[in-house]
């Protein structure tokens, strides 16, 4: 019985993940207004009513999508291992920032969906209530990682990089002021210009 229960849980989790991915696709393509349970069911190719069994409300659907964005945009373990073997330095910090930009630029649908969620949070307090803790926890985790890794930059510096990277990605995903510049080069320029020299002293 225990094995059967675990199998059901695994299948339920797999289906929940599939539905969250379908929701991400709808959100990125059609915006928040197009995100309905029916649209998610169609995108996932499942019977109408399936997604509402896993995500009872639209707010629950947003929750599932936010969690899935976090999972899919997470750093690759091999990249973290490779970077983690190096000594803390300004160059290493720049490589971490470049990896964030690379992931956001590679998974453009995820990044667009994330921007759509933030816009929806500006319109709907119930979405902001769900999204705000996730963003603030993610920021706190970034600061904690930076500190534990011995990298230069404090919480205020990390916040500046969040603002700058969000702006860079919005530029690249919409109408760019300089479409010919490489995102990686811009990311490294941000480190040179935003990170105080004093923070980089050995």
């Amino acid at each position: 019985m225990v094995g059967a229960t675990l199998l059901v849980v695994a299948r339920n989790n797999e289906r929940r993940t599939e539905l969250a991915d379908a929701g991400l696709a709808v959100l990125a393509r059609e915006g928040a207004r197009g995100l309905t349970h029916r649209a998610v069911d169609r995108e996932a190719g499942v019977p109408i009513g399936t997604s509402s069994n896993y995500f009872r409300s639209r707010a629950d659907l947003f929750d599932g999508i936010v969690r899935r964005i976090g999972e899919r945009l997470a750093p690759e373990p091999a990249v973290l291992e490779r970077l983690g073997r190096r000594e803390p330095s300004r160059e290493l910090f720049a490589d971490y920032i470049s990896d964030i930009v690379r992931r956001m630029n590679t998974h453009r649908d995820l990044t667009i969906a994330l921007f759509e969620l933030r816009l929806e949070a500006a319109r709907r307090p119930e979405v902001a209530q769900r999204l705000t803790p996730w963003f603030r926890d993610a920021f706190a985790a970034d600061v904690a990682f930076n500190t534990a890794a011995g990298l230069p930059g404090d919480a205020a510096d990390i916040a500046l990089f969040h603002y700058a990277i969000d702006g860079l990605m919005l530029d690249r995903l919409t109408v760019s002021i300089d479409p010919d510049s490489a995102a990686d080069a811009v990311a490294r320029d941000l480190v040179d210009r935003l990170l105080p020299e004093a923070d980089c002293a050995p």
Side-chain angles (χ1 to χ4, degrees), residues 179-199:
D180 295 327
S181 62
D184 179 72
V186 175
R188 293 180 181 281
D189 199 27
L190 286 173
V191 174
D192 287 340
R193 292 170 181 267
L194 293 182
L195 193 64
E197 290 287 349
D199 288 351

Side-chain angles (χ1 to χ4, degrees), residues 104 111 114-115 118 135 159-173 190:
M104 294 182 76
T111 308
L114 192 55
F115 281 131
R118 297 185 77 165
F135 263 99
L160 287 176
F161 280 101
H162 270 269
Y163 304 145
I165 290 171
D166 285 346
L168 171 61
M169 294 314 305
L170 185 63
D171 177 272
R172 292 309 152 100
L173 294 172
L190 286 173

Side-chain angles (χ1 to χ4, degrees), residues 138-156:
F139 172 69
D142 287 346
V143 174
F145 174 84
N146 208 66
T147 301
L151 292 167
D154 57 17

Side-chain angles (χ1 to χ4, degrees), residues 43-95:
E43 183 72 25
V46 298
I48 299 299
T50 301
S51 63
S52 60
N53 289 330
Y54 289 83
F55 305 103
R56 294 291 183 180
S57 66
R58 195 161 181 262
D60 290 338
L61 185 55
F62 280 125
D63 273 348
I65 289 173
V66 167
R67 284 194 296 270
R68 189 63 179 139
I69 289 174
E71 291 168 358
R72 290 180 58 185
L73 276 181
E76 298 159 20
V79 173
L80 283 181
E81 183 182 358
R82 174 173 53 80
L83 294 177
R85 290 197 296 264
R86 293 166 49 187
E87 289 296 318
S89 66
R90 185 192 191 95
E91 182 61 29
L92 179 58
F93 182 90
D95 285 343

